[in-house]
Amino acid sequence: MMKVIVTGANGFVGRALCHSLIGINYSVVGAVRAADRVGAHEHYGHMVVGDIGGATSWRRCLQDSDVVVHLAARTQNASHPQALAALRRVNVEGTERLAYQAAAVGVRRLVFVSSIKVHGEETCGRSFTVDDALSPVDAYARSKLEAEQVLRRVAAETDMEIVLVRPPLVYGPGVKGHFLRLMRWIDSGLPLPLASVANQRSLIALDNLVDFLILCIHHPAAAGQAFLISDGQDLSTPELTRRIASGLHRPARLWPMPPRLLRAMARAGGKLAWCDRLCGSMQVDMSRTRAVLDWRPPVGVGEAISNTANWYRGQRAVADR
């Protein structure tokens, strides 16, 4: 039985991945920062590693393991020197420490979940391909790129295989961040000035990402590769809004506003980053992924959005009791 270590096992993606691996008879150990962050309902073994950084001891956790899926990361962007140092400590130094210790105890492969943001923030007329230049804009994306570079060095110096996965925005039951914020706004019934937005964005459903990570754990052709993935169907922000609204059984209250005016108002309100994600295009080309691994997303966009909306409505019903 293959033994897989999942870092960040108590996170949005980590929980789903651990549960899926157990369901197909993998031996799973979740590496977590603190024991109190693991719910009583979790049915996988876990091991506490403490704070992640350049001094973290992973050896006990890694012993007799075949593959590591590295999900643990700090995601908050910041400009303060201390916050930047914390971002780099976890995402870069922690990844480097994990990789070298994994190689030292004989781990065969490390699957690293990076981000499409290492390529940049926006596409203009063409999709990102895996061969495109890497041009991260914010501190988080730069830390992910630096971690990728560290892992390539480890692969060159050791026998351990490295697989890099660069997903776009991940959504599904349990989602947080911008996607959850959009669902809450739609659910509130307040109008959204997004009808004039003419963009296209690639997303990845949680179920599809988990399916792909499991493939990367064992597929021989994945070794040494970087992959871009998505649901395979890009959506404009107005279309995404309509689909979420349908799943929530709410009207999609979209009204037109010139994107330039919308962006100016967002800048004045300190919401420019969120506006850029809603109005800009970010598309990925999965042709290399299909060619190398013959992978197709098992869950369609419509089903995935419906599942996410159903989860949200369930949470809302519990809160209303």
Side-chain angles (χ1 to χ4, degrees), residues 73-78 87 91 140 144:
R74 192 178 181 93
T75 59
Q76 296 93 336
N77 268 305
L87 190 71
N91 294 359
Y140 167 74
K144 282 293 191 178

Side-chain angles (χ1 to χ4, degrees), residues 260-279:
R260 285 187 179 181
L261 178 57
L262 181 60
R263 200 167 188 274
M265 293 177 62
R267 182 186 289 110
K271 301 294 184 181
L272 184 58
W274 191 39
C275 178
D276 286 344
R277 287 180 175 87
L278 288 172
C279 299

Side-chain angles (χ1 to χ4, degrees), residues 67-126:
V67 177
V68 174
V69 180
H70 187 33
L71 290 162
R74 192 178 181 93
T75 59
Q76 296 93 336
N77 268 305
S79 57
H80 191 279
Q82 288 184 333
L84 289 171
L87 190 71
R88 191 177 184 280
R89 182 171 62 252
V90 174
N91 294 359
V92 182
E93 296 170 13
T95 299
E96 181 176 27
R97 176 79 165 179
L98 170 64
Y100 275 115
Q101 290 195 353
V105 300
V107 170
R108 177 176 60 83
R109 177 176 291 185
L110 189 150
V111 180
F112 178 65
V113 180
S114 182
S115 170
I116 191 61
K117 287 162 66 70
V118 301
H119 286 281
E121 291 291 336
E122 189 171 354
T123 51
C124 300
R126 61 179 294 272

